[in-house]
Amino acid sequence: MTTVTRRSLLIGGVAGVALATAGAGFPKLDDPFTLGVASGDPRPDGVVLWTRLAPRPLEEDGRGGMPDRVVPVQWELAEDERFRRVVRRGVQPARPELGHSVHVEPFGLRPGREYFYRFRVDGHVSPVGRTRTTPEPWALGQDLTMCFASCAHFGEGYFTAYRRLAEDHPDLVLHLGDYQYEYAAKAADVRAVLGPETRTLADYRLRHAQYKTDADLQLAHSVAPWLVVFDDHEVENNWADDVPEQPDPDFAARRAAAFQAYYENMPLRRGARPDGTDMRLYRRAQWGGLVNFHMLDTRQYRDDQACGDGWKTCADAALPTRSITGAEQEAWLLDGFRRSRSRWDVLGQQVFFAERDRKDGPEKEVSMDGWDGYLASRDRVTRGWVDAGVRNAVVLTGDVHAHYAADVKLDWNDPASSPTVGTELVCTSVTSGGDGNDTVDEVQLRLNPHIKLHSRRRGYVRTKFTARELRADFRTLPHVSRAGAQATTLRSFVVEDRNPGLNPV
């Protein structure tokens, strides 16, 4: 674990030893590191290092004030934050066709180790980032502190939750979608959103850039590697494969632009680089023999929402052909369950998994956008991990702007007598929906006794995985309409090894 002194150095962005000069002969740039640095997709022998050059990040054309030429970017990776023990270095081109983003994939690193990285261009040195590799695939000795978050609307609040998350010193961060929102500014916003509703590549680049200028978000990216997946607002609200929320003949071009900007602004491997309207984002990341993360994409391959979307009593939701993952991703996931030997198998995904009924009486009224709208798909996945003998199944979810904790049942036709076969942890929003409140939906809790927690406050979830248990702390902030709120733990639960279900702490 990094000491307090080292952490202070990291947050301060100490540059240390100078790097060699590259790109001589070109006009000098202003400081291009206004968007910070990030790392992601860790493996036992490597990780992705990211930055994007943008000396004037908020220009309307989305180019960040960069010239229309390739710019060589130097990078270094070291075992210490003063860069006395450099283990890898190189030069990576930042290309205009990729928004002058840089994705470096150093390999041959030591498993389960902490590293520090930085970039340099034209004498400008980036802030220092901390990252780490995962333990060896069979190793159980390293516990994992992982925080996860979702739903950050720039206009609806300050990103203080990201700063508090960073202060928890996580080994890994998961972002489960709605990293940015497509909407134009609203009169009620507490921070000004720049640009129109995002539709073009320039729009999406500008929107991502404005988010990345936030110091709290930059800090969260700099302290640990991230695993990211998108939800709907990275493109537009409630899209489903090639079906937009409202009729739009230009939706394919909009989706392609959104995917391009998402890749440019995230620490993703080259295999995730989009090809037009296609982007392979579902993947696995293994934390030794302790945790197997199955990161899902529940937007790009899903059938359109049943019965016109919304909260409905809808017979079509039960059609056996309906899928939220698509056949190929589902087969990949089920195969992953069968092959897994990890202590914990975790689904990092976007929308509510457990049943969430909000209507009294024999008929259920549920959300068509979540797994309740794709009943056969949910049943195949749940029975898939049960039949595969997965030791401990955990579903992580974002999207709904509220904290939830729920037991996952094998049979939702009779949840009261069905065995609990997994656990769902749902993080609230970072800011979306504003400050939130302390009102608890008692009707929802009564109709869904498998749901053990509901809170409308903003925040994130902090987890700790060990060989014996998973602990989840639901962290909340009293407000996001003003900066600087402190985080407190609203509730904590423990899930014991081989004993699915939530135990209050």
Side-chain angles (χ1 to χ4, degrees):
M1 174 63 69
T2 306
T3 66
V4 173
T5 301
R6 294 171 72 191
R7 179 67 53 185
S8 300
L9 288 171
L10 172 60
I11 292 174
V14 171
V17 182
L19 302 171
T21 302
F26 292 109
K28 293 288 186 181
L29 297 171
D30 294 333
D31 180 10
F33 297 114
T34 60
L35 307 182
V37 300
S39 67
D41 278 23
R43 294 175 178 173
D45 66 343
V47 68
V48 179
L49 309 178
W50 173 93
T51 193
R52 180 181 163 213
L53 307 183
R56 298 188 297 279
L58 303 182
E59 291 198 348
E60 291 183 1
D61 63 8
R63 297 179 181 178
M66 288 296 293
D68 189 20
R69 63 173 173 85
V70 175
V71 175
V73 179
Q74 298 166 5
W75 61 271
E76 275 191 327
L77 185 73
E79 294 179 335
D80 67 299
E81 70 273 29
R82 292 184 178 275
F83 290 81
R84 292 187 178 119
R85 299 190 302 278
V86 174
V87 295
R88 294 287 186 278
R89 58 163 51 98
V91 178
Q92 188 82 1
R95 303 182 183 279
E97 62 268 26
L98 289 176
H100 287 98
S101 62
V102 176
H103 298 75
V104 180
E105 298 184 28
F107 58 90
L109 306 179
R110 298 170 64 183
R113 294 298 297 265
E114 178 182 73
Y115 291 95
F116 299 86
Y117 62 96
R118 63 186 179 186
F119 302 89
R120 178 172 172 166
V121 172
D122 283 353
H124 300 288
V125 182
S126 76
V128 174
R130 169 189 178 265
T131 192
R132 65 182 309 120
T133 53
T134 62
E136 295 169 318
W138 57 86
L140 269 176
Q142 285 192 20
D143 297 343
L144 170 64
T145 297
M146 181 274 292
C147 296
F148 67 99
S150 69
C151 302
H153 189 297
F154 188 92
E156 292 183 354
Y158 289 86
F159 289 168
T160 313
Y162 284 135
R163 179 165 293 271
R164 302 299 170 239
L165 178 157
E167 292 167 351
D168 283 339
H169 309 315
D171 303 305
L172 181 68
V173 175
L174 267 60
H175 201 286
L176 300 180
D178 295 345
Y179 183 92
Q180 62 94 44
Y181 279 70
E182 77 276 25
Y183 302 126
K186 309 185 300 294
D189 286 345
V190 299
R191 296 199 290 178
V193 174
L194 300 180
E197 179 164 334
T198 52
R199 299 193 62 86
T200 68
L201 181 56
D203 295 339
Y204 285 107
R205 282 174 170 172
L206 172 59
R207 188 62 50 83
H208 276 282
Q210 183 176 26
Y211 277 56
K212 280 289 203 312
T213 59
D214 185 275
D216 294 338
L217 177 54
Q218 285 193 20
L219 177 61
H221 272 298
S222 73
V223 300
W226 284 37
L227 290 173
V228 301
V229 284
F230 53 53
D231 190 18
D232 53 340
H233 290 288
E234 286 86 354
V235 182
E236 74 148 7
N237 183 56
N238 280 22
W239 64 281
D241 192 7
D242 58 356
V243 181
E245 182 181 31
Q246 301 294 334
D248 180 1
D250 297 321
F251 180 68
R254 182 180 190 178
R255 172 172 152 171
F259 283 11
Q260 176 73 19
Y262 187 79
Y263 173 76
E264 291 173 355
N265 286 279
M266 292 294 164
L268 290 165
R269 293 187 178 273
R270 283 185 292 271
R273 183 174 174 178
D275 180 12
T277 59
D278 296 317
M279 184 178 186
R280 170 67 183 264
L281 202 58
Y282 65 87
R283 63 207 187 278
R284 288 190 186 89
Q286 194 169 336
W287 194 269
L290 187 65
V291 189
N292 194 9
F293 290 99
H294 310 264
M295 304 300 291
L296 303 186
D297 176 350
T298 62
R299 284 293 162 193
Q300 195 174 172
Y301 313 106
R302 67 160 67 193
D303 291 308
D304 193 15
Q305 291 92 343
C307 295
D309 205 356
W311 286 77
K312 302 284 175 62
T313 299
C314 177
D316 287 353
L319 292 174
T321 56
R322 288 180 53 73
S323 177
I324 196 171
T325 63
E328 183 177 329
Q329 184 179 193
E330 181 181 297
W332 166 88
L333 178 60
L334 298 183
D335 182 64
F337 290 152
R338 290 189 291 268
R339 294 175 180 270
S340 179
R341 299 296 179 268
S342 293
R343 187 63 53 97
W344 303 88
D345 277 86
V346 175
L347 277 64
Q349 59 94 49
Q350 296 76 19
V351 292
F352 213 95
F353 190 86
E355 183 174 271
R356 194 164 49 123
D357 181 17
R358 69 175 194 182
K359 181 181 179 182
D360 273 309
E363 291 187 330
K364 297 177 180 179
E365 183 180 88
V366 294
S367 170
M368 295 297 100
D369 191 55
W371 290 78
D372 276 329
Y374 303 82
L375 299 180
S377 195
R378 179 172 64 192
D379 183 65
R380 289 190 297 268
V381 170
T382 308
R383 292 184 182 276
W385 80 55
V386 171
D387 292 346
V390 164
R391 182 163 174 156
N392 297 293
V394 179
V395 181
L396 305 181
T397 302
D399 181 61
V400 295
H401 305 177
H403 278 323
Y404 285 89
D407 292 336
V408 176
K409 300 294 184 175
L410 182 61
D411 182 5
W412 293 108
N413 292 315
D414 186 14
S417 30
S418 174
T420 296
V421 296
T423 305
E424 182 173 19
L425 307 175
V426 183
C427 64
T428 187
S429 63
V430 171
T431 60
S432 301
D435 285 336
N437 56 64
D438 294 319
T439 303
V440 175
D441 190 335
E442 299 293 348
V443 173
Q444 189 175 158
L445 293 179
R446 175 173 56 81
L447 293 175
N448 304 276
H450 54 279
I451 295 178
K452 309 301 182 183
L453 170 69
H454 171 242
S455 169
R456 290 192 174 98
R457 285 293 177 192
R458 307 297 159 235
Y460 60 98
V461 179
R462 179 180 63 205
T463 65
K464 184 172 184 178
F465 289 85
T466 72
R468 298 180 60 182
E469 67 179 29
L470 158 64
R471 179 184 173 115
D473 299 319
F474 288 82
R475 305 279 284 165
T476 59
L477 280 66
H479 57 80
V480 295
S481 55
R482 306 182 308 280
Q486 295 302 308
T488 58
T489 298
L490 174 69
R491 291 280 300 278
S492 296
F493 295 90
V494 163
V495 181
E496 300 168 342
D497 177 36
R498 294 191 185 276
N499 185 21
L502 293 156
N503 301 291
V505 177

